[in-house]
Amino acid sequence: MTPSARVQAAIELLDAIIASARDGGPAADTLIARYFKERRYAGSRDRRAVRDHVYDAVRRAGERPSTGRAAMIGLARERLDIEVLFDGSAHGPAPIELGEEGAISGDVPDWLRPLLAGPVEQGALLGRAPVDLRVNRLKAAMKDVAPLYPDAVPIEGLSDAMRLSEGWPVEQSEPWKQGLVEVQDAGSQMISAACQAQPGMTVVDMCAGAGGKTLALASAMAGQGTLIAADTIRSRLARLGPRAERAGATFIETLLLDQVHESRALESLHGRADVVLVDAPCSGTGTWRRNPEARWRLTPARLDRLIQEQARILDFSAPLVKPDGVLVYATCALTDREGQDQTRAFLERHAGWAADTVLSPMGRPHGDGILLTPGHDGTDGFYFARLRRMA
């Protein structure tokens, strides 16, 4: 591919990403993979260059652009090396016309900016994310694994965490293949640690997804006790099985829930759980470093629906907790409506509950919980709180 053809390919991909964000379709990475699967002629350098163009344009535009061409023109206005490639050559983009508008630069959609928690460093939300590892204590100890990743640095406050540079191919390494480590953001590890799961406990991961936090809980429990990974989406839970087997966490039980009727399947667990983790569906504002096009998917109406769903999940999860047990509420979101406001509303609805004071090695106290941000902590953005059912 010529340099101009790479820019045109980026425009075509951006058109697909914009449409998918508008219509709730596949994520950008999926669309990029499909695009190049159909274009075998593109070499590795072509794919890398096109991908870089796409993500540079996505990161630059806080608001969803009208077209892929507008997104790339916006980038070209700031990058002469790209602007000269709008040359009208074969397979390249047509020249930029006089007065042709490009996408406006910005970190955060204008409507969302005032909803972000006050301490959030908005300019850091789109930085490049490192690769964080968690040592799997079911199979190894830090002293055994650290020498296998000589480029990794320890993460202060998390005894099982190491950090590698962006793009490090962990899944090609032998320790990962053997289940000695998992890729898990340090913020996510902090939330798992805040659960204080111990061997012999009964623990429920209510929105388990593919099980990243479930596996961290399994490691903390040393394979002893009852650990249930619950979710309403079968395909997500199906991904946990192979991961649990590789990690040696075969004691994990999975529970597929019927959305809207979750309480039916959970009734037998009422009053039994020492810990319930609710890592609720959210706006994903804390994960923009990894999914920058998520900004283009979020709307005020969707945020309202997510907040209602978070409250609903908290309400049907609370009865599972036994007296003096805890419910850990977490979101990878940085809006107060999904964080401190949601926690406060739960405590107002449910008598006999109180927020624990969390002594966290990272993050900042925020309302009744802890706020983690990329700018302050070098992690993805999270809010979490420990809510205790009084004995």
Side-chain angles (χ1 to χ4, degrees), residues 39-208:
R39 293 163 177 81
R40 299 288 188 183
Y41 57 82
S44 60
R45 289 186 5 183
D46 295 323
R47 295 194 297 271
R48 184 165 56 251
V50 171
R51 184 184 178 88
D52 286 347
H53 287 335
V54 167
Y55 276 106
D56 285 346
V58 171
R59 289 178 185 278
R60 181 189 168 278
E63 303 283 352
R64 188 173 67 225
S66 56
T67 64
R69 181 174 170 87
M72 279 304 295
I73 288 175
L75 183 63
R77 300 289 192 204
E78 302 170 359
R79 295 265 304 271
L80 180 60
D81 62 316
I82 292 177
E83 187 175 24
V84 298
L85 299 177
F86 282 77
D87 57 8
S89 60
H91 307 297
I96 300 173
E97 298 180 4
L98 185 65
E100 188 174 2
E101 294 186 358
I104 297 172
S105 177
D107 297 322
V108 180
D110 288 342
W111 69 270
L112 185 63
R113 191 178 303 276
L115 302 182
L116 293 177
V120 173
E121 306 83 3
Q122 296 182 14
L125 292 177
L126 295 167
R128 303 287 182 173
V131 177
D132 293 347
L133 303 182
R134 177 183 55 77
V135 175
N136 175 21
R137 278 187 261 150
L138 293 176
K139 286 193 169 185
M142 175 64 81
K143 64 180 179 62
D144 303 314
V145 175
L148 305 178
Y149 293 100
D151 297 332
V153 296
I155 300 176
E156 187 176 355
L158 291 169
S159 59
D160 294 331
M162 299 185 294
R163 175 162 290 168
L164 292 162
S165 59
E166 174 202 355
W168 213 95
V170 173
E171 295 184 7
Q172 297 174 24
S173 67
E174 281 303 314
W176 182 88
K177 293 177 182 178
Q178 295 169 19
L180 307 186
V181 296
E182 290 288 338
V183 177
Q184 187 176 28
D185 180 79
S188 180
Q189 293 187 50
M190 187 65 250
I191 291 168
S192 302
C195 292
Q196 298 179 14
Q198 300 291 327
M201 282 186 170
T202 295
V203 179
V204 181
D205 186 355
M206 187 58 69
C207 305

